[in-house]
Amino acid sequence: MWAFSPTGGFTSGGMEERWGCENYTSWCLGRGGKFACGGLWAELKTMHLAQQICEAEVVTYRQREPDTLFLADLLRSPHLDQAIFVISWGFDVAKLAAQLRPYNVLYHAHSAGYGFHLPASVPIITVSRNTLGYWGQRSPQGLLYYLPNQIGEEFHNRHLQRDIEVLVQARKSSTYLMQVLIPALRQHCQVYVVDRHVPDLAALFNRAHVYLYDSAEYWALQGVSEGFGLQPMEALACGCQVFSSVNGGLSDYLDPGFNCYKIAGYSAAYDLQRILKVLQMPSDSTVPESLIAEYRSANILQRLGVILSDINHFFDHRSADVQAIAPLTPWRLLQLRSQRFFSKVSQKYSRLLSQGQ
């Protein structure tokens, strides 16, 4: 959740917080424990980048945490008409958007497919073009922006000896990958499966020759899309040969046959043949920096500055606006379909009349 406060003066839990610049950023969720996941870490990375442009803080709303603002307290503060809140956790977005309806709100969208609608008064920043297209269809009257997730500078090819032939992270991996392909591979090569938190993932990627990632089944079960898919991009940046699914946000940057290989290609036997062939190739691979540059902090900071400035201008305008474009709701779609149907019937009837004369 983000809030712009040019005048400062928010009060939370008896403690007054003053900001000397325009922007104040806050995220509404727990910071660790049961809330820990890749999406949360990516969101916090974006917040830390935003702190280079504006004031930014985490705000929780499900549970209180030490030294962290709590949403219910923050909503009792003055000057919230000068704030912009950014909501991001897809499962709670509809509820938060309703709760924050009197305020300026924008949605930082990762996965797509949650099924809710947002009013045109809520701008949307998406982490992938895949999600951008989803909201372009679902919210055609809203303001939409694209801001990719950040790839840390530590993810680069260190040109080290690669002592891991095949690397897999168990989380999000498909049944096919874990129960069919990996057992088959282990009859021919070394496979290292990671099933715990890795403190230095960049170092691990720099040790691996091939990286396998197959999240299509996982996200199909979740009922939403892969928002971005950081790990295959990080593996590419570190010089791995990547075999991956190309679902959701992965399709933004994965290009099978050119910078990766599509996993689960027809049969396990065919996958096995292709992976073993790649293991016979030189183990050090470097992708063009032009592919990675879009996801580095310098580009994201530049884009973020433009986006926040544009959104700030929009909310200044919205306060004086009297008529918004009619949203494309299910009821509106039914009206349009009915109008088109009766228009066609009328045209056909007119043609029949003209032929009978």
Side-chain angles (χ1 to χ4, degrees):
M1 177 180 294
W2 304 12
F4 293 69
S5 178
T7 58
F10 289 168
T11 303
S12 176
M15 177 181 65
E16 186 176 26
E17 300 285 350
R18 297 195 178 273
W19 292 275
C21 62
E22 267 189 25
N23 307 348
Y24 164 74
T25 308
S26 56
W27 267 254
C28 289
L29 199 63
R31 303 180 74 166
K34 66 179 181 180
F35 300 115
C37 65
L40 175 61
W41 307 140
E43 194 70 20
L44 290 174
K45 277 186 176 182
T46 304
M47 187 200 71
H48 293 146
L49 289 173
Q51 286 176 328
Q52 299 183 42
I53 301 172
C54 58
E55 285 289 328
E57 291 290 340
V58 171
V59 173
T60 63
Y61 62 91
R62 288 191 178 184
Q63 66 184 34
R64 296 180 183 273
E65 297 192 12
D67 303 317
T68 303
L69 294 171
F70 189 66
L71 182 60
D73 299 333
L74 190 58
L75 292 182
R76 292 195 292 267
S77 303
H79 310 301
L80 289 183
D81 59 329
Q82 298 294 313
I84 299 176
F85 294 98
V86 180
I87 54 182
S88 62
W89 192 253
F91 294 106
D92 290 345
V93 163
K95 179 183 71 175
L96 286 171
Q99 181 181 3
L100 297 170
R101 187 179 297 275
Y103 310 106
N104 301 317
V105 179
L106 71 88
Y107 172 37
H108 190 205
H110 292 249
S111 297
Y114 291 100
F116 58 80
H117 287 270
L118 290 174
S121 59
V122 178
I124 300 170
I125 302 174
T126 71
V127 302
S128 69
R129 292 183 178 89
N130 181 77
T131 303
L132 181 66
Y134 171 86
W135 281 106
Q137 182 64 50
R138 196 166 184 84
S139 185
Q141 285 78 37
L143 293 179
L144 303 175
Y145 304 90
Y146 164 64
L147 184 74
N149 282 332
Q150 178 202 10
I151 300 298
E153 300 299 326
E154 69 272 20
F155 292 97
H156 66 273
N157 193 343
R158 303 173 189 177
H159 302 286
L160 304 176
Q161 181 178 356
R162 296 183 181 269
D163 59 336
I164 298 175
E165 289 184 302
V166 177
L167 175 66
V168 181
Q169 288 176 287
R171 186 172 182 273
K172 297 184 184 178
S173 289
S174 67
T175 305
Y176 160 74
L177 180 56
M178 299 301 295
Q179 298 183 12
V180 178
L181 185 57
I182 288 177
L185 280 168
R186 280 180 165 154
Q187 298 179 35
H188 302 274
C189 62
Q190 172 210 30
V191 181
Y192 183 45
V193 178
V194 177
D195 57 3
R196 63 189 184 281
H197 173 69
V198 178
D200 190 351
L201 189 56
L204 190 61
F205 281 145
N206 269 276
R207 293 174 55 196
H209 188 163
V210 170
Y211 177 65
L212 307 183
Y213 186 85
D214 186 9
S215 69
E217 177 185 274
Y218 173 87
W219 289 108
L221 291 171
Q222 298 298 313
V224 295
S225 71
E226 173 90 74
F228 182 83
L230 276 168
Q231 287 78 24
M233 169 63 76
E234 292 167 342
L236 285 173
C238 292
C240 294
Q241 297 280 359
V242 173
F243 283 75
S244 177
S245 54
V246 195
N247 49 291
L250 294 166
S251 63
D252 267 34
Y253 63 86
L254 289 180
D255 191 2
F258 295 90
N259 64 21
C260 72
Y261 301 86
K262 167 67 173 63
I263 203 169
Y266 180 65
S267 70
Y270 189 53
D271 274 355
L272 179 64
Q273 175 188 330
R274 291 186 298 150
I275 294 169
L276 293 178
K277 182 179 178 180
V278 168
L279 286 174
Q280 301 306 312
M281 298 177 182
S283 62
D284 200 25
S285 173
T286 302
V287 296
E289 181 56 33
S290 57
L291 173 66
I292 308 298
E294 181 178 349
Y295 308 95
R296 297 295 192 190
S297 58
N299 178 63
I300 296 173
L301 275 170
Q302 187 273 331
R303 294 183 66 87
L304 184 58
V306 172
I307 290 169
L308 294 185
S309 176
D310 201 49
I311 288 174
N312 196 34
H313 176 73
F314 163 69
F315 282 125
D316 287 343
H317 170 81
R318 191 192 65 151
S319 62
D321 204 6
V322 294
Q323 184 76 37
I325 301 171
L328 200 61
T329 62
W331 173 244
R332 176 63 176 157
L333 286 172
L334 180 62
Q335 287 180 312
L336 293 171
R337 291 190 182 107
S338 299
Q339 290 171 9
R340 184 163 60 175
F341 172 76
F342 287 114
S343 176
K344 288 182 178 180
V345 170
S346 177
Q347 291 172 12
K348 188 173 182 178
Y349 182 68
S350 296
R351 286 196 300 268
L352 289 174
L353 284 178
S354 63
Q355 292 171 3
Q357 291 176 354

